[in-house]
Amino acid sequence: MMRSLKKTLCIVLFSGIYGSARSQQFIHPGLLSNDKDIARIKMGLTTGQPDIKAGFEELSRHPQSQFTYQLQGPLTMVGRNPTVGQGAYDNDANAAFQNALMWAITGDIRHAKKAIEIVNAWSNTLTAITGKDAVLMAGLGPFKMVNAAELLRYTNSGWTKNEILRTEKHFREIIYPVIQNYAPFANGNWDSAALKTAMSIAIFCNDHQIFENTLDYYQRGAGDGSLTNYIINDSGQSQESGRDQSHTQLGIAHLADCCEMAWHQGLDLYGLQNNRLLKGFEYTAKYNLGYDVPFTPTIDRTGKYRHYHISGDTRGRLRAVYEEVYNHYVRRRGQQAPFSAEAAARLRPESQGAPGADHTGFGTLLYSRLYPDSITASVPYRSAGVIVTNSGDVNIITWPSINNAGYYRIRRATKPDGPYELLAGKIMSDHFIDRNLIKGRLYYYAVAAVNPNGQSAFSTSKSICAGLPFPWKIADIGIGGDHVEGDPDTLFSTGGKKSMASYNGATFELHGIGTGTDSQGDHCTMLYQPLKQSTGIMMRYVPQLSAQATQLGLTIRNGQDANAGSVSLLLRSVTQSNPESPGWRMQFLRHLENGRTEVIASSDELKSPVVTSGRMTGSLWFKINKSENHFISSYSADGRQWTTLGKADFKTATRSVVGVLVASGSTLIDTQIAIGELKLLKP
């Protein structure tokens, strides 16, 4: 009785502490440059610090840094592949960013007026970003536009409240929708470009949910552009190292920009995965400086790009991306980065990040420092980017370190609104393993940072189920048996790929492998439960999938054998002859016990809003209705208006199961997908 009372008091008291903690906001300006950076640059110019002086001269003499710059836009529509106004937008974005920097450094109001003119012109006019490469268009130039807006907003530039709000609306409604699901169908520099621009919009618009989404994707996103999918191993090899060196440098530069923005919000993304970003820069710099580096043959997350050797294409053509990382790891953190240092020295002072608006550039001016930043003795920054995962009997909680934290506290609840209890009160690292679990129960976790000045507000709560909710299970169908993929490539390691499933209270995350469904027997991953009295099943696919040969859908089948009879409603790529945009269609299949598969019905190629330029980009609902042994399949783009695809008779058995079928199209990679609104239909 006394132990129960003490626990209740702990929950109540801890809830009170949480309720009184201040709700910390974003720090502004807080993208690539904060107020301390501007002050450091000004001081460097006053004292004649050589690097800053040379960097400022590089900026100030550039044609797009002049307050006399003539706008090349605005336009109502811009696009990439086909090109529509791309050069005009990128040039104006460069000019907006560079004039905003000139204003912040010099105080010359003419630069502020020019930057405001450019930002306002485009935010008032642009209504659409188009083309097959729209994600890349929205992920590059707009990053500079958002950085310009951030500086103007927080430096007393004379930018009016109405103009600021209109620009916020523009970033949210025109730019962000194009990049909100990143680019997991492409090489990693696309993915990371979309990621950094989404993060900048989150900070400018003070949107914690978008910010959390970007932090989550940076750490464990499905596409090639997340940290460990882009820098694929501890040697520092990049996903694009076998493609060419220009794109490789661009991809790691985008990730570095994410780290710098997060640093200004108090989060150390630079240090994640034992300084994985630094390893990527050191490997890339070393190779481009003429040294040898190791290389492991790779197949990327999409399944489209296979590299057997490191590429010498554009080797030695250093891009202006090294000062940011060199100054962080060496000057801020006192670590060693010899090859990044050499590359930075060769480029110093860094020029504009050409071509177009591909990357920021001017790093010598923006990042040169003689010693570490001073960290103000204050209440810690708010924790963010908490990741929770389940591994067997334990839940694992990790988070980016907080710059001014002494230690951390974790709270836990079994409901999103609590009550919360103190799970651990003094954690000295950036991770925690929770072993005190009830299988099948949802748990909610939040992290707070503590130092001698107090405790931060708690992070956004993140949830995970301890295992799968009853009665869901996961199984591999036909994998590990006699089914052999006809892939001649023996150099690629599977990397221990295996199927996985987790549930966070809203969506299932599935990692599926296998070559798919065919007449030789299924070769896939299945999330399932007994059919029992169900009259069908429905689910929603949540954008976006990673492997571009993915097969995904619903199935009702007589057991787990590869040749078990089944009916399945599947999303399948139309053709792999065009892997950049394979196209997608729905198929309703019946697999007979004799091993023969019948295609009952096929849809036409799916179009917008589900598919854009042959790529799966929008949500899609699947449904199979059952009446005794009669089945009807249908799909929907919005969950309200349904299209009937096909009907079939199929005799179920006592061992029949119902669930989700997923295959990556290969045994070499898995495909990562999210499924929402997964439910059995009842009589």
Side-chain angles (χ1 to χ4, degrees):
M1 178 69 178
M2 184 59 68
R3 181 177 297 175
S4 176
L5 178 60
K6 286 181 178 179
K7 183 176 181 180
T8 301
L9 286 172
C10 178
I11 293 172
V12 172
L13 288 172
F14 192 70
S15 298
I17 291 171
Y18 172 67
S20 64
R22 62 188 179 92
S23 180
Q24 290 162 301
Q25 301 300 311
F26 287 101
I27 298 162
H28 297 290
L31 298 185
L32 292 182
S33 300
N34 64 12
D35 53 0
K36 290 182 181 179
D37 293 321
I38 299 302
R40 172 177 47 79
I41 292 169
K42 289 181 177 180
M43 179 60 70
L45 292 174
T46 299
T47 60
Q49 184 181 334
D51 289 345
I52 289 181
K53 183 179 178 182
F56 180 72
E57 290 173 354
E58 187 73 24
L59 172 70
S60 61
R61 66 171 172 252
H62 195 280
Q64 292 171 339
S65 300
Q66 311 309 311
F67 56 75
T68 55
Y69 173 85
Q70 296 297 309
L71 272 77
Q72 297 186 20
L75 303 171
T76 58
M77 180 178 73
V78 296
R80 184 164 175 154
N81 191 13
T83 298
V84 180
Q86 178 187 340
Y89 185 93
D90 286 353
N91 288 334
D92 284 355
N94 287 337
F97 174 59
Q98 290 166 217
N99 271 277
L101 271 177
M102 289 293 295
W103 147 248
I105 294 167
T106 68
D108 188 335
I109 194 64
R110 293 175 294 182
H111 288 291
K113 289 180 177 178
K114 178 55 64 176
I116 290 170
E117 177 190 2
I118 297 170
V119 173
N120 283 346
W122 282 97
S123 63
N124 289 337
T125 308
L126 184 62
T127 60
I129 299 176
T130 62
K132 184 178 178 181
D133 299 351
V135 173
L136 200 56
M137 177 77 211
L140 296 175
F143 181 67
K144 292 192 174 183
M145 204 72 85
V146 181
N147 270 270
E150 177 81 357
L151 286 173
L152 294 170
R153 187 174 189 173
Y154 296 102
T155 52
N156 299 313
S157 66
W159 200 20
T160 70
K161 182 178 180 180
N162 286 340
E163 291 169 335
I164 292 169
L165 293 176
R166 185 166 56 242
T167 298
E168 269 197 16
K169 187 173 186 290
H170 167 74
F171 290 151
R172 282 183 182 275
E173 297 182 5
I174 304 301
I175 308 298
Y176 180 67
V178 182
I179 57 174
Q180 63 180 336
N181 295 316
Y182 315 108
F185 50 78
N187 276 301
N189 78 87
W190 285 48
D191 218 20
S192 55
L195 175 60
K196 75 172 187 178
T197 301
M199 184 180 287
S200 71
I201 290 172
I203 296 170
F204 179 77
C205 294
N206 293 291
D207 192 314
H208 279 285
Q209 185 57 62
I210 295 178
F211 189 57
E212 286 288 343
N213 290 344
T214 61
L215 293 172
D216 187 274
Y217 199 87
Y218 181 92
Q219 296 176 82
R220 63 185 198 104
D224 284 329
S226 59
L227 176 63
T228 53
N229 287 343
Y230 197 71
I231 303 171
I232 64 173
N233 55 37
D234 279 337
S235 74
Q237 180 180 329
S238 162
Q239 178 260 318
E240 295 187 270
S241 294
R243 179 189 182 191
D244 63 57
Q245 298 309 306
S246 180
H247 285 100
T248 297
Q249 293 176 85
L250 184 60
I252 57 176
H254 295 330
L255 293 176
D257 285 345
C258 290
C259 292
E260 189 67 13
M261 290 186 290
W263 182 268
H264 288 148
Q265 303 306 318
L267 306 174
D268 185 12
L269 297 189
Y270 282 110
L272 288 176
Q273 298 292 323
N274 194 23
N275 299 314
R276 180 69 73 94
L277 182 71
L278 175 60
K279 294 173 183 177
F281 267 86
E282 284 292 279
Y283 178 98
T284 303
K286 183 177 182 180
Y287 182 66
N288 281 279
L289 290 167
Y291 303 99
D292 293 332
V293 293
F295 186 83
T296 302
T298 59
I299 179 171
D300 81 311
R301 294 289 298 152
T302 73
K304 297 185 297 186
Y305 309 119
R306 303 183 180 200
H307 300 303
Y308 303 88
H309 309 282
I310 193 167
S311 175
D313 189 4
T314 65
R315 184 182 186 184
R317 195 178 302 169
L318 296 172
R319 301 187 77 157
V321 302
Y322 292 95
E323 291 278 28
E324 183 176 29
V325 161
Y326 161 72
N327 276 281
H328 172 79
Y329 286 104
V330 177
R331 297 298 186 184
R332 271 187 185 143
R333 308 300 278 174
Q335 297 175 266
Q336 299 297 312
F339 299 106
S340 298
E342 185 178 343
R346 290 196 185 185
L347 290 165
R348 194 169 292 136
E350 280 187 357
S351 59
Q352 186 191 66
D358 273 13
H359 55 99
T360 309
F362 299 116
T364 307
L365 172 67
L366 293 174
Y367 308 115
S368 289
R369 48 181 37 85
L370 299 176
Y371 35 75
D373 300 332
S374 61
I375 297 179
T376 304
S378 62
V379 175
Y381 299 107
R382 183 188 186 195
S383 184
V386 175
I387 302 293
V388 292
T389 56
N390 174 259
S391 179
D393 296 329
V394 301
N395 287 343
I396 302 169
I397 305 97
T398 62
W399 57 90
S401 296
I402 304 299
N403 297 343
N404 61 347
Y407 60 90
Y408 302 92
R409 289 173 175 156
I410 294 184
R411 65 186 187 115
R412 186 184 77 171
T414 55
K415 296 179 180 179
D417 297 326
Y420 283 87
E421 62 178 327
L422 182 61
L423 184 63
K426 196 168 186 178
I427 303 169
M428 305 306 294
S429 64
D430 57 4
H431 64 275
F432 181 80
I433 298 176
D434 184 10
R435 304 178 188 277
N436 184 22
L437 305 172
I438 297 175
K439 190 173 181 62
R441 176 172 288 184
L442 272 169
Y443 291 93
Y444 297 80
Y445 300 92
V447 177
V450 184
N451 69 18
N453 297 292
Q455 175 184 304
S456 72
F458 272 90
S459 67
T460 300
S461 292
K462 299 294 180 66
S463 57
I464 195 70
C465 186
L468 291 174
F470 181 81
W472 290 105
K473 296 180 180 180
I474 189 169
D476 289 332
I477 307 298
I479 295 173
D482 296 331
H483 189 112
V484 178
E485 180 183 7
D487 191 329
D489 296 316
T490 58
L491 293 175
F492 300 115
S493 168
T494 63
K497 297 299 182 187
K498 62 179 181 179
S499 58
M500 293 186 293
S502 62
Y503 180 64
N504 66 8
T507 60
F508 286 88
E509 181 179 300
L510 302 181
H511 294 245
I513 55 178
T515 54
T517 295
D518 60 40
S519 60
Q520 300 303 309
D522 294 340
H523 193 246
C524 58
T525 297
M526 183 172 67
L527 176 70
Y528 70 98
Q529 62 173 277
L531 179 61
K532 292 187 176 179
Q533 300 302 312
S534 169
T535 61
I537 184 172
M538 185 188 78
M539 75 173 192
R540 175 173 62 91
Y541 153 77
V542 180
Q544 292 187 26
L545 50 81
S546 54
Q548 296 300 290
T550 292
Q551 294 180 23
L552 162 69
L554 299 174
T555 188
I556 296 172
R557 60 189 296 123
N558 292 336
Q560 299 178 30
D561 293 340
N563 289 313
S566 64
V567 287
S568 301
L569 172 63
L570 297 182
L571 171 73
R572 308 178 82 169
S573 56
V574 173
T575 174
Q576 286 302 301
S577 63
N578 182 14
E580 288 297 328
S581 51
W584 300 85
R585 68 160 55 102
M586 301 294 292
Q587 285 192 335
F588 188 42
L589 308 173
R590 178 170 54 192
H591 193 80
L592 304 178
E593 299 288 355
N594 62 12
R596 186 164 58 91
T597 297
E598 298 176 333
V599 178
I600 304 300
S602 293
S603 72
D604 294 332
E605 280 196 46
L606 300 177
K607 304 297 183 183
S608 180
V610 176
V611 174
T612 304
S613 298
R615 299 161 178 150
M616 285 293 301
T617 54
S619 294
L620 181 64
W621 280 256
F622 300 65
K623 185 164 62 176
I624 297 178
N625 288 99
K626 172 183 178 294
S627 177
E628 295 184 346
N629 291 324
H630 185 65
F631 296 82
I632 301 174
S633 61
S634 54
Y635 63 95
S636 171
D638 58 12
R640 297 185 298 273
Q641 296 182 336
W642 292 84
T643 299
T644 299
L645 181 60
K647 303 176 182 180
D649 291 325
F650 172 72
K651 187 175 181 180
T652 58
T654 55
R655 66 184 183 279
S656 293
V657 297
V658 57
V660 179
L661 179 153
V662 60
S664 63
S666 171
T667 56
L668 299 177
I669 59 172
D670 64 346
T671 187
Q672 182 175 332
I673 60 169
I675 299 296
E677 302 178 39
L678 177 60
K679 59 184 180 182
L680 269 59
L681 306 176
K682 300 297 183 181

